[in-house]
Each structure stands twice: as C-alpha cells, then as structure tokens.
Amino acid sequence: MNKEKFKVDFPSNEDIARQINFIVKEGLPKKETFFKQVYTMYQQLGFQFLFPNSIEIAFISILIATFLLITGLQARDYFEAESGNVYTFIFVTSPLVYLVICLFSLYHMWDNRTYELEMTCKYDFFQLTAVRMLTFSILCFAVNTVFIIALVNTYHHISFVKAFLISTTGLFLFSTLTLFVLMNNQSKITKISLLVSWTAGNFLAFIWSENFYLLVLNNISISVYAVITASLAVLYIKHLQKMMQFRKTEGVA
C-alpha cells in the first residue's frame, strides 16, 4: 500500500520577510515626531497644567523687556560713539528673558515640591521641561525681535538683519547650554549657578574686554551669522528631542 507523502507548502523568504515587516509595523506604536509629541502633550495636559504660573511669566517678560528697552534708549551717547556697542549689548542681553523665566519656572516647581512627583508621572520632569523650554524660547524670540525693532528705529546706523541674527545666535547658544545643564546629573545649586555664571560672565567680559566683543561681533559677516544661527537652532531642537526621550535612572536630583 502506497503512502501518500504529506507536502508542506513553506513560504518563500520574501513572504516571511514581508509578514515580519507587517507584524512589526502594525504591532509597534508609531513613532511620533517631536512637534507631534508636543501637540499631544498639550492636548492631554492643557495649557494650565503645562504653565501653572503663566501670568507671572508674562509679567516678568514684560518687566525685563521694558527695562532693556529703557536702558537701550538711555545709552544713546554710548551706542552712537561706536556702532558695534549696540550689537554687543544685543548679544549679551539676548538670553536674559529666557534665563529669568527659566529660573523662575524651576524655582516655582522646586518650591512647590512637584519635582519628585513629576518624575513619576506619564509625562515626567524632562518631557514637561522640554515643552516649557520650547515655549520660553519662542516667547523670548518674540520679545527680542520687538526690542531690536525699537533699537533699529532709534539708532539708524545699525542693521536689522545683523542685529536680529546676533540676538538669535545668543538666544539659541544659551538655550542649548541650558538644556545640556538640566540633563546632567547635578544638584539644583550647581545647575542654577552654571546658568547664572554664563550670563554674568558675558556681562563682565563685555565690561572688561569690550574691544574683544567688538572685534568678534563686527568682523563676522551676515552669511556666517545665518549659518551659525541655523546650526544652533537645529542643535537646540535635537537637544529638546533628546530631553523628551530622556529618563534619569540614578534618581531625582
């Protein structure tokens, strides 16, 4: 009696690879872009939770912007004596609003003892901070732009494009430094000291090494400023993306 052979129709390598890709694609959650993640967090948490002290931040921003504007308008003799002095002033003060509102936001969080709580939530401290830092940088960018427009209308010898690029370079440079400091495992005092020292160091260098600032800022062309600004903006966004995915395993600071 002849036994019938049982034949198994095995799939080809191409079919196996196709099915594996299909299972992986459908089974794993789709990776969202950074700005999509930010929008999702905003939808799920709401503006009030993301920025519980928004009124204070707006007041502080207006106060600092007014102070810088009055200072810039009162220093007419100093700025007209050397056109480069205006650019130096813009570069040094460009991250000032960002610094103050960041420190205020961090202090408000630490003072209310919500840091440890946020580290255990679905959206932890680093993800919330990434969204807040992005918003703060946009706010500071808008304040600096208005400030530059006022200076250009007052001091006609300066270029709006150059002043705008210098301001944006200073802002993104400091913003990237801020993210780097926050993501490192350092104490609160160390983090705050590093951020304040950067701004204080710039002011001291501006006072004691004025010629150095004038030499550097005045001899860089607008095209180079544009490249530097674009590079720093990309680097800043990449650091924000890293912060969104960052998890601290050593414990809270």
Side-chain angles (χ1 to χ4, degrees):
M1 184 176 180
N2 295 330
K3 294 183 178 180
E4 295 183 1
K5 294 182 178 180
F6 184 74
K7 185 178 180 181
V8 179
D9 187 16
F10 289 102
S12 64
N13 292 334
E14 290 78 7
D15 291 334
I16 295 175
R18 192 182 308 112
Q19 292 299 321
I20 292 175
N21 290 333
F22 175 78
I23 294 172
V24 172
K25 181 179 178 181
E26 295 298 324
L28 294 177
K30 295 182 179 179
K31 187 177 181 180
E32 294 182 329
T33 63
F34 168 71
F35 291 103
K36 177 63 176 177
Q37 288 177 307
V38 172
Y39 181 69
T40 301
M41 286 182 61
Y42 175 78
Q43 283 186 315
Q44 294 182 356
L45 299 178
F47 181 85
Q48 189 62 39
F49 181 80
L50 285 173
F51 306 98
N53 48 357
S54 56
I55 297 178
E56 293 91 338
I57 290 176
F59 176 76
I60 291 173
S61 301
I62 295 174
L63 189 65
I64 297 175
T66 303
F67 170 75
L68 292 178
L69 182 60
I70 293 175
T71 303
L73 297 179
Q74 292 296 321
R76 177 179 294 272
D77 293 338
Y78 176 72
F79 289 149
E80 289 183 347
E82 172 58 57
S83 60
N85 290 335
V86 182
Y87 298 125
T88 305
F89 179 74
I90 291 173
F91 178 79
V92 172
T93 59
S94 60
L96 191 57
V97 175
Y98 185 87
L99 169 67
V100 174
I101 60 179
C102 283
L103 291 179
F104 175 78
S105 179
L106 291 174
Y107 171 79
H108 182 271
M109 178 191 61
W110 286 327
D111 185 57
N112 291 337
R113 301 183 183 277
T114 59
Y115 178 83
E116 289 79 5
L117 176 63
E118 289 184 359
M119 287 298 295
T120 62
C121 296
K122 176 183 178 181
Y123 296 116
D124 63 16
F125 164 78
F126 296 103
Q127 292 173 311
L128 293 172
T129 300
V131 176
R132 289 165 182 165
M133 294 298 148
L134 175 63
T135 307
F136 294 160
S137 61
I138 294 174
L139 174 62
C140 186
F141 177 82
V143 171
N144 287 348
T145 301
V146 174
F147 174 61
I148 291 171
I149 292 174
L151 289 181
V152 170
N153 288 332
T154 304
Y155 305 105
H156 302 288
H157 60 278
I158 66 175
S159 167
F160 171 79
V161 176
K162 186 174 182 178
F164 175 79
L165 291 175
I166 289 176
S167 173
T168 309
T169 298
L171 174 60
F172 280 128
L173 182 62
F174 181 79
S175 302
T176 305
L177 174 66
T178 303
L179 294 179
F180 177 78
V181 169
L182 291 177
M183 290 174 65
N184 280 285
N185 190 22
Q186 298 161 335
S187 66
K188 300 172 186 177
I189 300 298
T190 303
K191 291 175 180 178
I192 294 176
S193 299
L194 288 173
L195 298 180
V196 174
S197 297
W198 192 91
T199 304
N202 269 284
F203 273 106
L204 292 176
F206 171 50
I207 296 173
W208 293 337
S209 304
E210 178 181 338
N211 293 332
F212 171 75
Y213 265 93
L214 292 176
L215 180 66
V216 173
L217 295 177
N218 285 337
N219 288 314
I220 298 178
S221 64
I222 292 180
S223 59
V224 174
Y225 273 122
V227 172
I228 295 174
T229 301
S231 301
L232 288 173
V234 172
L235 186 63
Y236 179 59
I237 295 299
K238 286 186 176 296
H239 272 73
L240 285 175
Q241 291 175 321
K242 288 182 180 179
M243 179 170 274
M244 288 287 286
Q245 307 300 326
F246 190 75
R247 291 291 185 274
K248 181 173 288 189
T249 58
E250 295 85 356
V252 294

